[in-house]
Amino acid sequence: PPPERSIAVLPFADLAPGRDQSWFSDGLTEEIIGVLGRIDGLRVAARSSSFALRDAQLDARRLGDTLRVASLLEGSVRRDGELIRVTARLVDASTGYHRWSATFDRRLRDIMPLQREIAAAIGAALALPLGTAASGGAVTQNADAYDLYLRGVHARAKLTGEELMHAVDYFDRAIQLDSSFAAAWAGKAATIGPLIWYGHLPRAQGAPLMRAAAQRALALDPLLADAHVASGMTALYVDWSWTTAELALRRATVLNANHALAHHFLANVLRAQGRFREAMAARERALALDPLSVRIGMMLGADCVLAGEIDCALTQFRRANELEPRNPAVLGRGPSTLMGLGGLLEARGDDSAAIVEYLRRDSLSGATPSDLSQARADFARGGLRAYWHGVAQRTEARGVPVTEPVHVAWMWSRAGNPARAIEWLERAYRDRDFGLVFLNVVPEFAGLRRDPRVRRMVREMGFE
C-alpha cells in the first residue's frame, strides 16, 4: 500500500471562456506540485506520471494504485483577464470521498501566494505543517513575468525541439521583465539540457548558456531545488565534475525530497563513478516518485545489470516494453547506451531470443523490410557479431545523428571491431558528447579501456 501521507496532483481542468488557457492551468498545477513537494513527510508523485493519466478515465482507486499514492488533488482553473477562480478538491484514493475542497477567487498578481495557501490547506488536511515550503519557490512580483514563466513550463514539458525552443524564449522574456526571477533562470538551464541531449542545439552553443543560467539561478536563490538540479546537470554533462555534480544533486534532494529528476540525475552521477548499488537506490527513489517514467525504469534496469541484479533488470526492461514500446529509451536511441531486454538476453548467452528482440526493436524503430531481411541474413551467417556489424554499417551509411557517436562506438564494440569503436569514442571526446559520462562503466567498452587512447580519456575525465 502507498504511504498514508502521499499525494498526486492531477492536471487542473482549464475552464477559461475559450478553453485556451491550458498552459496556465498546467503551469499552476506543476507549481502546486513543487510547493507540496517541499513539505516534510509528504510524498508527491512527479508531474510526468500524474499528467500521463490526464485522459485515462480511471476512478480514484485505480489512479491511486497506478501512481502509488493515498490521496489525489484535483481541480479546475478559470481565468478571465486578470481574474482567476481556482477550485481544488482533496480526494481519498481508496474510497473516492472528498476530504477537503475550496474555491479561491483571486487576481493574477496574487497567484503565487495562492499556491502556498492551497499547499497549507492540503498539509493541514493531512496533518502535516507547511513549514518552510514557501522558500525556494518561483518568486516574482511581476505578474507578466510569472505568466511567461508558466508558458515556458508548459512548453518545456512537451520535449519536442520546437517547444523546447519556445520554452527558452518564454524564460528569456520572463527574465527580461524580472532579472532576479531565479525559477526562470533555472527553467532556462533545465530546458537547454534536453535541447543539447536530443540534438536540437549544438553543445558548443548551448553549454555556456546552460552553465550561466544555472549559476545565476543558484546565486539568486540558494534554496531553490531546481537551481541545484540545473547546477548538477551542468557539472555532470558539461564539466564532467563528479564531486560538484553529486553535491549539487544531493542538496536538491534535501531541499525537495520529491524531486524525481534530482534523484534520477544523482543516480547517473553515482553510476558514472561505478557506485552501482548507490545508483540503484537513488533511481528506485526516482521511480517511486515517477512510476510511469519509461526512461527512469530503463535506467534502473541498466543500474541493476551493472550491480549484478539480473532479475531486477528483467523486470524493469519488460515493464518498459509494455508501457511504451516505441519510447526512444526502449529503442536504444540517444547519447547513452542502454542494454535493454535484447542485450540482457545476449549477455546470458541466449542469442536466439536476443535476435528476436533486436528485430522487434528494429521494426519499431522504422527499419525497412530490406533492412530486416539483411539483419536476419547477417545473423544466420555470423551470429550476433555479424548482426551488429551490419547495423553499425547501415547506421553510418545513413548518417549518424550528432547525438549518437557513443552509441555507434558501442555498436562497433559489439561487432568486434575495436578500432572503429575507438574512432567514434575519440569523436565523442572531441565534441564532449553528453553520452560519454558512462565511458568508465559500460561493459562493452571494458576491452577498449585497455587502449592508451581510451585510458587517456578516462584519466582526463577524472575517473582515475
Side-chain angles (χ1 to χ4, degrees), residues 9-28:
V9 184
L10 304 177
F12 278 31
D14 171 27
L15 299 185
R19 299 296 193 271
D20 57 352
Q21 303 282 313
S22 63
W23 58 268
F24 185 83
S25 56
D26 284 0
L28 178 62

Side-chain angles (χ1 to χ4, degrees), residues 112-340:
M112 283 170 286
L114 174 59
Q115 297 166 14
R116 190 181 191 281
E117 191 174 343
I118 293 173
I122 300 302
L126 298 175
L128 288 167
L130 186 57
T132 60
S135 64
V139 179
T140 179
Q141 300 304 313
N142 189 311
D144 291 335
Y146 190 68
D147 192 81
L148 288 164
Y149 169 76
L150 291 184
R151 288 179 184 268
V153 168
H154 181 70
R156 181 181 62 195
K158 298 179 182 179
L159 280 181
T160 66
E162 183 179 7
E163 290 295 338
L164 287 168
M165 294 299 289
H166 286 326
V168 172
D169 180 60
Y170 285 132
F171 291 134
D172 276 338
R173 289 161 61 189
I175 290 165
Q176 288 173 4
L177 294 176
D178 182 359
S179 61
S180 64
F181 192 2
W185 285 104
K188 178 180 178 178
T191 305
I192 292 173
L195 275 171
I196 301 172
W197 182 269
Y198 293 114
H200 303 303
L201 185 67
R203 184 205 172 281
Q205 178 184 346
L209 298 174
M210 182 180 176
R211 183 188 295 106
Q215 290 174 345
R216 182 63 175 152
L218 204 55
L220 288 167
D221 190 349
L223 295 179
L224 181 61
D226 284 347
H228 289 274
V229 172
S231 177
M233 289 171 60
T234 305
L236 170 62
Y237 291 112
V238 176
D239 299 329
W240 296 339
S241 179
W242 319 115
T243 301
T244 302
E246 181 176 353
L247 289 172
L249 293 164
R250 287 197 184 279
R251 180 60 176 156
T253 64
V254 170
L255 292 169
N256 184 349
N258 290 290
H259 204 306
L261 287 180
H263 294 283
H264 171 62
F265 287 122
L266 175 60
N268 285 351
V269 175
L270 296 169
R271 187 211 288 182
Q273 298 176 82
R275 296 155 64 184
F276 305 132
R277 298 243 171 226
E278 292 178 78
M280 278 181 62
R283 195 93 62 191
E284 285 168 348
R285 176 64 174 164
L287 193 60
L289 294 167
D290 198 355
L292 298 183
S293 172
V294 171
R295 174 163 290 278
I296 293 177
M298 286 293 293
M299 293 291 272
L300 174 57
D303 296 333
C304 294
V305 170
L306 294 170
E309 299 288 346
I310 303 305
D311 289 342
C312 159
L314 277 171
T315 298
Q316 294 304 327
F317 292 151
R318 285 172 175 159
R319 182 173 179 273
N321 279 353
E322 293 166 1
L323 276 174
E324 203 174 333
R326 296 180 185 273
N327 187 286
V330 176
L331 298 177
R333 311 311 305 170
S336 290
T337 59
L338 290 176
M339 176 172 279

Side-chain angles (χ1 to χ4, degrees), residues 355 359 369 371-381 387 394:
I355 191 62
L359 292 172
D371 288 342
L372 294 173
S373 177
Q374 184 61 54
R376 291 189 189 94
D378 289 340
F379 177 74
R381 184 187 73 256
Y387 162 79
R394 287 189 291 275

Side-chain angles (χ1 to χ4, degrees), residues 360-384:
R360 183 194 69 82
R361 184 207 60 187
D362 292 344
S363 178
L364 291 174
S365 297
T368 65
S370 174
D371 288 342
L372 294 173
S373 177
Q374 184 61 54
R376 291 189 189 94
D378 289 340
F379 177 74
R381 184 187 73 256
L384 286 173

